[in-house]
Amino acid sequence: MELLAPAGNVESLKAAVFNGADAVYLGLDLFNARAKAENFTIENIKEHIDFCHLFGVKVYIAFNTCVKDAELPALERYVTAAADAGADAFIVTDLGALEIFAKSKVPLHASTQMGIHNAEGAKMAKELGFSRVVLARECTTEDIREVKKVGLEVEIFAHGALCVSFSGGCLMSSFMSGDSGNRGRCNQPCRLKYSCNGRSRYLLSAADLCLLDRVEELRVAGADSLKIEGRLKTAYYC
């Protein structure tokens, strides 16, 4: 199985490479769901992809936000630059921009934001040209087995923070502050204290995911890649 580590900045990328990751996932300064991370640019991404490839580590670039019509020319420019830099795959959310990604000839991974959680969803992704599906965090090992039968690579989150909403499709931040998680700017209001029946607690904050004791079970079920959440965390997290 592949170990896929987060890289929110250069230091985290190097930490992942030097500590045994098979692949890293990262975002550019636009069109990624972690806009508040340091991220990378179309000017420096080739340098960092070349570094990873020198150590046999793959680089998956996240284009996992909803894209506005007026932004499509900029998206195409970013996708072309990332493809020319040697990206190994694109993690994609917005199907309305799929034609732009398809033209790049770079393998496409269906982001967890797409909410794919069963074989039917995986079949749709395969028909659209995806080679891998990043399953919703809510999926079971039985779901993994069924999706694997479709003939796609299966990537699952195995460690890190959980969104309180299904597959990260939350609108809470957007409603409360105008900063949408689907545009990469979630303010994480679910992490705050809330009061209920006179008691103040972290009522919406989900505990972190940790599947270290179930790695073999996941391998047998058909998981091809174990993903660590954490592009907003420091290099020490790796």
Side-chain angles (χ1 to χ4, degrees):
M1 280 188 299
E2 174 185 82
L3 178 60
L4 177 57
N9 56 38
V10 176
E11 291 75 20
S12 295
L13 181 146
K14 291 182 177 179
V17 170
F18 293 145
N19 284 281
D22 300 299
V24 297
Y25 66 103
L26 54 85
L28 303 177
D29 55 323
L30 292 176
F31 309 116
N32 93 86
R34 293 292 181 269
K36 296 178 182 180
E38 187 174 332
N39 293 313
F40 299 82
T41 68
I42 57 175
E43 288 77 24
N44 67 22
I45 188 59
K46 186 179 188 312
E47 168 191 350
H48 298 300
I49 290 177
D50 287 347
F51 169 80
C52 290
H53 287 174
L54 182 65
F55 290 90
V57 176
K58 294 181 178 180
V59 178
Y60 307 147
I61 299 183
F63 288 100
N64 56 342
T65 60
C66 297
V67 183
K68 297 181 178 180
D69 288 349
E71 297 171 333
L72 291 175
L75 175 66
E76 185 162 15
R77 182 163 57 90
Y78 269 60
V79 169
T80 299
D84 290 345
D88 295 286
F90 293 148
I91 305 170
V92 175
T93 293
D94 196 332
L95 294 181
L98 192 57
E99 183 178 352
I100 290 175
F101 294 105
K103 287 192 298 185
S104 73
K105 305 302 182 182
V106 173
L108 303 181
H109 296 175
S111 170
T112 189
Q113 273 83 8
M114 287 178 60
I116 295 174
H117 59 279
N118 57 26
E120 291 304 312
K123 289 176 184 176
M124 177 203 71
K126 186 175 182 180
E127 290 171 0
L128 290 172
F130 289 92
S131 61
R132 175 184 293 195
V133 57
V134 187
L135 284 183
R137 292 166 173 84
E138 299 77 17
C139 288
T140 66
T141 50
E142 179 58 31
D143 295 327
I144 295 172
R145 282 191 285 269
E146 292 303 310
V147 169
K148 186 60 183 176
K149 293 176 183 177
V150 174
L152 291 176
E153 293 180 357
V154 176
E155 177 180 313
I156 67 161
F157 281 88
H159 191 84
L162 282 170
C163 181
V164 70
S165 176
F166 184 82
S167 299
C170 186
L171 297 175
M172 189 175 181
S173 179
S174 180
F175 281 127
M176 293 179 69
S177 66
D179 290 327
S180 173
N182 297 304
R183 296 281 291 168
R185 306 201 63 83
C186 181
N187 284 325
Q188 299 182 323
C190 59
R191 307 302 187 204
L192 302 177
K193 276 188 176 182
Y194 292 92
S195 297
C196 182
N197 295 328
R199 300 181 63 186
S200 180
R201 292 180 293 175
Y202 294 97
L203 298 172
L204 298 178
S205 186
D208 280 10
L209 179 69
C210 182
L211 299 179
L212 292 176
D213 60 344
R214 301 181 66 179
V215 170
E216 180 60 18
E217 178 184 351
L218 295 169
R219 185 191 67 78
V220 172
D224 296 287
S225 179
L226 300 183
K227 187 174 196 171
I228 302 170
E229 185 278 335
R231 282 195 286 146
L232 290 174
K233 293 182 171 66
T234 70
Y236 295 104
Y237 187 68
C238 290

